[in-house]
Amino acid sequence: MIGVDVGSGDRMALAVLAQYRMATTDQMHRVIAPEVRIEQTRRRLALLRVEGLVDRITLPRAGRTRVWFPSSHGVQLACEWPEMRGRRPSRTASDPTAVRLKVGHALTVTETGLAFLQDARRHGDLCRPLDWIPEVHHPIGSGEAVIPDALLYYRRGSDDDGSMLRAFVEVDRATMGPERLAAKLTAYARLHGYVPTVPGRRPTIQEPALEDWRRRYPLFPRLLFVLDGTGPTGAKTRIRALRAAARELAAFSFLHDVPVLAAQLTDPLRDGPAAPVWRPVQDPAQQVAWHSWP
């Protein structure tokens, strides 16, 4: 066949921006094409902008960094592709003002995803750019929902003897108090036990009521808290708050079934997420690897 790869790089760039919400030029380069010169990524993004598929804002600080985001037309186009089916980008993903106001947290989420992506490349594991999915909606009843900052898919090892891992990732930039951060643990415990009710239908032995998360995952994903915006002392305070919340949930099966770990962002960025830089919230004196504990 002739020209089967024409446009594949542009397609990946647009899909990444539609899914990640926003990224700097450097982040986009490291996600989609780290093996080539960054000038190629700049040209690709500039072309997509000319075509009306992406746009950018320029931050007044940090050397006037350019932050890219999808246009409404770009989001509409990307979400028609099979690899993007079921994605629900924010309605404000294409609004320059909303992008500017959300840029600090969103770029930190993107950088966290990059850490896992680059770690997989180093270790020969499988984690593709679209295996990092921000803001996946999970209902927990009464009109409420758990929406993690990202859902991570990660395969360790080869296809023959590898293991498929999933993780909910919460990126905390210390913009809320430790107690509000710890309350997220309770929300995930609710998600773990949430069984939706179907009007007019009662569970039977043949068809028992099942937790809603089982429709998506064979196992409940691990829960990773990534702490940023504070020094080591502040991170310890926030981990203590998570530990206190874990004590209150000790009677529930959630903490027996689901590994819950926390790390200061500087550690996985420096050593890689696979390093033993994660602290179990039930025993924060330990430092473990996220993918092999317990």
Side-chain angles (χ1 to χ4, degrees):
M1 290 187 292
I2 298 175
V4 293
D5 290 329
V6 172
S8 61
D10 295 345
R11 180 179 175 126
M12 175 57 72
L14 179 57
V16 165
L17 274 181
Q19 184 158 297
Y20 286 35
R21 311 309 198 241
M22 66 185 81
T24 66
T25 306
D26 175 67
Q27 287 176 331
M28 284 296 295
H29 178 65
R30 287 184 287 142
V31 170
I32 65 173
E35 71 284 353
V36 302
R37 292 170 61 86
I38 194 170
E39 285 76 11
Q40 294 188 35
T41 300
R42 291 195 181 102
R43 287 196 295 269
R44 187 183 303 282
L45 291 169
L47 176 61
L48 291 173
R49 186 175 185 232
V50 169
E51 294 174 335
L53 297 174
V54 308
D55 206 345
R56 71 188 187 205
I57 61 171
T58 302
L59 302 182
R61 61 187 186 281
R64 298 184 60 79
T65 299
R66 289 176 174 175
V67 178
W68 298 87
F69 58 95
S71 69
S72 56
H73 177 50
V75 169
Q76 182 181 8
L77 177 62
C79 288
E80 293 175 354
W81 299 334
E83 63 267 35
M84 295 288 289
R85 192 165 293 136
R87 303 289 186 265
R88 294 171 45 171
S90 167
R91 285 173 291 183
T92 60
S94 304
D95 184 324
T97 300
V99 169
R100 180 176 61 82
L101 294 176
K102 295 179 179 179
V103 71
H105 182 264
L107 292 183
T108 304
V109 172
T110 297
E111 193 66 26
T112 303
L114 255 167
F116 286 97
L117 185 63
Q118 292 173 315
D119 220 28
R121 291 168 179 164
R122 283 192 296 267
H123 293 94
D125 296 333
L126 184 61
C127 182
R128 299 186 179 94
L130 296 182
D131 288 335
W132 178 261
I133 312 173
E135 299 180 4
V136 180
H137 187 274
H138 297 80
I140 55 176
S142 303
E144 298 180 79
V146 170
I147 306 176
D149 286 320
L151 167 65
L152 169 69
Y153 286 89
Y154 192 104
R155 176 177 284 278
R156 291 194 69 207
S158 66
D159 291 338
D160 296 332
D161 58 1
S163 58
M164 186 69 216
L165 301 172
R166 301 163 191 83
F168 293 133
V169 182
E170 288 285 347
V171 177
D172 171 62
R173 299 183 67 240
T175 55
M176 63 178 71
E179 292 76 16
R180 287 185 60 195
L181 171 66
K184 292 188 176 185
L185 198 57
T186 304
Y188 279 99
R190 286 181 60 188
L191 174 61
H192 183 259
Y194 171 61
V195 178
T197 57
V198 181
R201 181 178 176 183
R202 294 183 177 180
T204 64
I205 296 177
Q206 291 77 20
E207 296 185 28
L210 295 176
E211 295 86 353
D212 192 58
W213 62 265
R214 296 185 187 275
R215 296 186 302 109
R216 307 188 191 198
Y217 316 111
L219 294 173
F220 196 90
R222 296 161 185 261
L223 177 53
L224 306 178
F225 286 93
V226 179
L227 309 177
D228 190 31
T230 183
T233 300
K236 289 179 181 178
T237 298
R238 303 180 88 72
I239 291 174
R240 280 198 297 269
L242 289 169
R243 185 183 185 187
R247 288 199 192 102
E248 295 179 5
L249 295 171
F252 295 84
S253 62
F254 170 63
L255 289 174
H256 297 284
D257 299 340
V258 181
V260 181
L261 309 167
Q264 194 170 358
L265 177 59
T266 52
D267 294 335
L269 289 184
R270 182 191 63 236
D271 301 329
V277 296
W278 301 87
R279 298 185 183 274
V281 298
Q282 293 163 285
D283 185 9
Q286 291 192 67
Q287 287 188 271
V288 301
W290 78 271
H291 50 57
S292 58
W293 188 91

